[in-house]
Amino acid sequence: MNSVLYWNSVLLEASRRDFTKGYVNGQQPGPIRTSRAMAIVHLAIHDAVAFRNQPAAAYLNKKGVMHGVSNLTGSVDDIIAGAAVTALKELYPAYTGYFDDAVGTVNNSAFNGGAKVAMAILAHRAGDGSAVGITGPQPAMPNYGEHRADPYAPGQPQLGPAWGNVTRFTGVNHQLLDAFPGKTTASNNYLDDADFFADFEEVRDYGSVQRRDRTAAQERIGIYWGYDGANNLGVPPRLYNQVARVVAAQQSPGLNVARTAELFASINVAMADAGIDAWHWKYVYKLWRPVVGIRTQSDPDGDAFWAPLGAPQTNAGRGTLTPPFPAYPSGHATFGAAVMQALRLGLNTASGPMTVQDVLNVEDGMSPLNPKETFTFVSDELDGISVDPDGSVRTRTPITFKNFVEPVWENSVSRVYLGVHWRFDGIPRNPADNVGGVPLGLKIGQEAHQLFNQSPSLGGTV
């Protein structure tokens, strides 16, 4: 196996264990810490290859970091192993034995060279602002429209209130995002805004725990993209790495080690910055989720007893639950758009970057087939193994996507069908509006690609 993909599989297993009962959990809790950890591991792998083959292409050199790493010699696979294991042990120390077992027989000198690269990456990120408490208290007296605890989990804290201050992996500044519809209305009633009103009614009628207007196909979309910290599954960064593995495996001709290292560094750095930027804007706008907004809004549009379908309680008992952080923008939508944009640009599968209009075209049935981007993926939520809260084993459900745009749209609207997000948290109704996680993620994915693709590029510029 390509050694980049091998160590990626070890990383994904460590992340799965981190969200599995019976293992030592919570070493990298939540999607934001997980995305940072995955970026660090793949940067270590990327730079291990770079310092062996093309030092000027190393991330550390492109970022102007003083690192003390000299050109490496020996087997590139052994160098990658040293980098991956060293980073993994630092980030997931409970699984040291598992990582040692994954190494096999290596040349110690080459392995130690890779370890030195990982230590340089870890040192670079040591003071990035991530060493903060991951949770914080809810506002004591929240204002109209402001995020607060899920009424079904009244003791729920806020996740990641300071995460937006973490140093980004690519550029210095957060990608810009405009306010959500209704934020600037003078009446202090978001429903006076036509777009907010439309999105309010949509999630009320399609995201309820009672199916109401939601079809079986829409419920499949909601569950398929879940990964809400579920037992045995984990969080969205693991899901999107799984998607990238499927996409990478079917490239013809196959990707060599250098191109794979660059591609997976790009997508994981994109997700790390997606987590930082999305969480920055979440706590700028502090928007309540539908479970609060719909129950709080007065008649005739509100519903004081409304309950969402909620995050899939996979491999666990049923409980209505929404994520413990503000709604806008959607982290799922930001992560997913960033990854698929980076994949498109890194694999050069289309004539240009993905746009918001491209994503909106999916819903209108106007998204064209792209044979270079067609792939079939089985989500762990619907793999024929995972158990629904009612105790039944969910049916294995392979889904074929005809391009990289379809999963961006599905992933975004999936949160509406679960009742945990407003549509505009993910995608605007007007493609010109810089609103939601999709436009934010598309920009971040392009930014990450540009960083790694600038000459000299480890995998060759595309």
Side-chain angles (χ1 to χ4, degrees):
M1 176 189 284
N2 180 312
S3 57
V4 177
L5 293 177
Y6 174 76
W7 287 106
N8 174 264
S9 70
V10 173
L11 168 62
L12 297 191
E13 173 60 14
S15 181
R16 187 191 71 82
R17 293 183 182 199
D18 216 33
F19 291 89
T20 300
K21 294 176 182 177
Y23 291 97
V24 178
N25 307 127
Q27 296 169 95
Q28 300 297 331
I32 46 181
R33 283 205 183 279
T34 297
S35 63
R36 175 183 178 272
M38 289 181 170
I40 288 172
V41 172
H42 274 286
L43 282 176
I45 292 171
H46 175 276
D47 277 16
V49 180
F51 282 111
R52 170 63 174 79
N53 296 345
Q54 194 178 13
Y59 172 84
L60 289 171
N61 285 334
K62 287 186 175 184
K63 296 290 285 185
V65 177
M66 300 297 292
H67 51 73
V69 180
S70 56
N71 296 4
L72 303 178
T73 59
S75 162
V76 70
D77 291 340
D78 292 351
I79 295 169
I80 288 173
V85 167
T86 302
L88 284 164
K89 285 184 176 181
E90 177 67 23
L91 296 161
Y92 295 97
Y95 310 134
T96 293
Y98 167 60
F99 302 140
D100 285 339
D101 289 344
V103 173
T105 302
V106 293
N107 175 276
N108 287 338
S109 177
F111 183 93
N112 290 339
K116 188 173 184 179
V117 174
M119 288 186 286
I121 293 288
L122 288 162
H124 171 55
R125 294 302 304 187
D128 64 2
S130 62
V132 296
I134 196 68
T135 60
Q138 298 287 352
M141 299 181 66
N143 297 317
Y144 171 84
E146 189 173 2
H147 172 72
R148 61 203 72 175
D150 183 337
Y152 289 95
Q156 185 183 65
Q158 294 195 102
L159 177 72
W163 196 259
N165 298 325
V166 172
T167 302
R168 300 177 83 249
F169 283 76
T170 52
V172 174
N173 298 317
H174 299 292
Q175 290 288 349
L176 296 178
L177 184 70
D178 292 342
F180 57 85
K183 178 63 176 176
T184 58
T185 55
S187 68
N188 201 33
N189 184 346
Y190 294 157
L191 294 185
D192 288 343
D193 182 278
D195 285 346
F196 192 103
F197 183 77
D199 291 356
F200 180 98
E201 291 204 317
E202 179 185 38
V203 69
R204 183 194 62 196
D205 296 341
Y206 287 85
S208 170
V209 67
Q210 298 89 15
R211 183 169 279 179
R212 294 192 182 182
D213 293 341
R214 183 178 61 249
T215 66
Q218 289 167 335
E219 190 157 328
R220 188 280 299 168
I221 291 173
I223 301 298
Y224 182 93
W225 295 100
Y227 285 66
D228 284 277
N231 185 40
N232 294 334
L233 272 69
V235 285
R238 180 172 176 268
L239 161 64
Y240 306 128
N241 268 280
Q242 290 177 313
V243 170
R245 290 177 63 84
V246 170
V247 169
Q250 65 183 37
Q251 295 304 299
S252 182
L255 300 178
N256 61 26
V257 167
R259 283 203 70 196
T260 310
E262 182 171 278
L263 184 68
F264 277 79
S266 177
I267 66 170
N268 280 285
V269 162
M271 279 196 285
D273 278 354
I276 294 167
D277 285 9
W279 261 253
H280 165 77
W281 292 114
K282 281 178 181 294
Y283 287 95
V284 167
Y285 292 115
K286 301 178 182 177
L287 177 64
W288 58 20
R289 286 183 180 267
V291 69
V292 175
I294 293 172
R295 290 164 71 100
T296 302
Q297 196 69 41
S298 61
D299 289 338
D301 303 298
D303 180 347
F305 303 98
W306 188 85
L309 180 60
Q313 300 296 290
T314 308
N315 302 319
R318 178 69 205 169
T320 298
L321 185 67
T322 55
F325 37 83
Y328 182 78
S330 161
H332 262 74
T334 312
F335 286 130
V339 167
M340 300 314 295
Q341 181 78 291
L343 281 174
R344 167 174 281 194
L345 296 174
L347 296 172
N348 195 25
T349 53
S351 59
M354 195 181 306
T355 67
V356 177
Q357 182 65 70
D358 292 335
V359 180
L360 290 173
N361 286 345
V362 174
E363 191 156 359
D364 295 333
M366 298 174 61
S367 187
L369 171 69
N370 182 340
K372 293 181 179 180
E373 295 184 347
T374 301
F375 68 96
T376 300
F377 179 70
V378 178
S379 164
D380 282 0
E381 294 277 11
L382 295 168
D383 60 357
I385 299 172
S386 288
V387 177
D388 198 71
D390 67 7
S392 65
V393 177
R394 292 191 186 137
T395 303
R396 179 180 171 85
T397 310
I399 300 296
T400 298
F401 299 96
K402 63 183 179 183
N403 53 43
F404 289 170
V405 187
E406 284 188 335
V408 173
W409 177 82
E410 265 206 14
N411 174 61
S412 180
V413 300
S414 71
R415 310 303 281 171
V416 177
Y417 302 142
L418 293 179
V420 301
H421 272 292
W422 317 99
R423 174 180 285 253
F424 58 72
D425 291 337
I427 190 168
R429 293 181 181 271
N430 184 337
D433 291 343
N434 183 32
V435 168
V438 167
L440 182 63
L442 293 178
K443 289 182 290 185
I444 293 168
Q446 191 166 3
E447 182 184 21
H449 171 74
Q450 288 169 346
L451 171 66
F452 289 97
N453 194 56
Q454 63 179 297
S455 185
S457 169
L458 181 60
T461 56
V462 293

